[in-house]
Amino acid sequence: MEKKNIDWSNLGFAYMKTDYRYVSNFKDGAWDDGILTQDDMVTISECAGVLQYSQSVFEGLKAYTTEDGRIVTFRPDLNAERMVNSAKRLEMPVFPADRFVDAVVQTVKANAAYVPPYGSGATLYIRPYMFGSNPVIGVKPADEYQFRVFTTPVGPYFKGGAKPITIRVCDFDRAAPHGTGHIKAGLNYAMSLHAIVDAHNQGFDENMYLDAATRTKVEETGGANFIFITKDNKLVTPKSNSILPSITRRSLEYVAEKYLGMEVEEREVFFEEVPEFAECGLCGTAAVISPVGKIVDHGKEICFPSGMEAMGPVTQKLYDTLTGIQMGRIEAPEGWIKVIE
């Protein structure tokens, strides 16, 4: 398929309408067959459950053009599994995992002309999401739902390379110990918006949230998990029941152990340990890894040895290996790459 006439190398990380999206509706206890449509408008009641009580979950993944010209996605089965868990927690009907993957494949294939070419630095971002669509005025789950998938071509999250960022220890709590921090619900992100705007106004790039119960342990940021590298090159990631199980983080843990021969620890990370780490990063779909150069704790600076100029050496190896797998330059573990065409 001939590619669209887009300046791929100058794309930002923003929405661009593509030709097709996938839509399936849940009504009378069952999902319909689903369709691809060119209509990008969502029409719902003014009293729809999503508008009244925020019944909404979503996912995010990408499609890539590999070095040998194939269009692929990265571990969509894990996104499907995570959406199943998110839906259950918000009393929403489960969209079957196999249908989720099929919907992603259909949508990417229909928009293949928007998948950026290899080497452009751009990718096709994929957004599956689900919401309560029928009128709900009493506080209860909706009876009808819509599942949708749209795509948009995006440039690299960081123009000119991933420069280390500065984050602050946040006074706000991201999630309660027995709340919804472990699922990908829109309401979690809405709760983080004031904190991130405030952080930006104060000159910081992101927030570090500590656990709400004791405020002694590292959790995550508003939209990414933390990774730390010890001075003896061990990968450490925070473990908590109230952080999102990042697919990128889980993949980096595997890459560290199986490809780079590193020791990996997923455990509680106490904030008092943070100054002892050699490198720090945030991991997620958009940027893969965002290096952290400095953490500010109410005026007290924690500066990592990796510095403010570039990714730390171990973080760079992790980044290069995982992106190499995604782009087809490095052989992937079985089942990680879903070939679209």
Side-chain angles (χ1 to χ4, degrees), residues 1-6 8 18-20 36 38 65 69-71 105-118 124 151 340-341:
M1 180 180 290
E2 186 177 348
K3 297 294 183 184
K4 296 289 183 179
N5 184 23
I6 295 171
W8 305 107
T18 55
D19 294 340
Y20 292 93
L36 286 171
Q38 291 189 293
T65 302
R70 297 176 301 165
I71 295 174
V105 169
Q106 285 190 51
T107 311
V108 173
K109 192 175 289 189
N111 293 298
Y114 290 92
V115 180
Y118 176 79
L124 187 74
T151 60
I340 306 282
E341 62 177 29

Side-chain angles (χ1 to χ4, degrees), residues 221-274:
T221 69
N225 283 187
F226 278 100
I227 62 170
F228 297 101
I229 308 298
T230 65
K231 290 173 182 174
D232 58 354
N233 292 346
K234 182 188 300 181
L235 174 65
V236 177
T237 62
K239 185 176 184 179
S240 166
N241 290 330
S242 55
I243 64 174
L244 190 72
S246 164
I247 293 163
T248 304
R249 188 209 73 222
R250 285 179 276 173
S251 302
L252 287 168
E253 289 172 342
Y254 185 94
V255 163
E257 183 178 0
K258 302 298 184 183
Y259 282 67
L260 302 180
M262 296 171 61
E263 189 177 340
V264 175
E265 280 189 356
E266 186 178 335
R267 60 169 175 80
E268 290 185 336
V269 175
F270 287 85
F271 181 69
E272 64 184 15
E273 298 177 64
V274 171

Side-chain angles (χ1 to χ4, degrees), residues 6-16 62 64 114 116 120-125 152-160 285-288 319 327:
I6 295 171
D7 186 1
W8 305 107
S9 60
N10 287 309
L11 276 177
F13 200 87
Y15 173 76
M16 176 189 294
K62 289 179 176 180
Y64 312 83
Y114 290 92
S120 64
T123 54
L124 187 74
Y125 189 82
T152 184
V154 296
Y157 203 71
F158 299 105
K159 285 289 185 184
T285 299
V288 182
Y319 175 87
M327 293 295 179

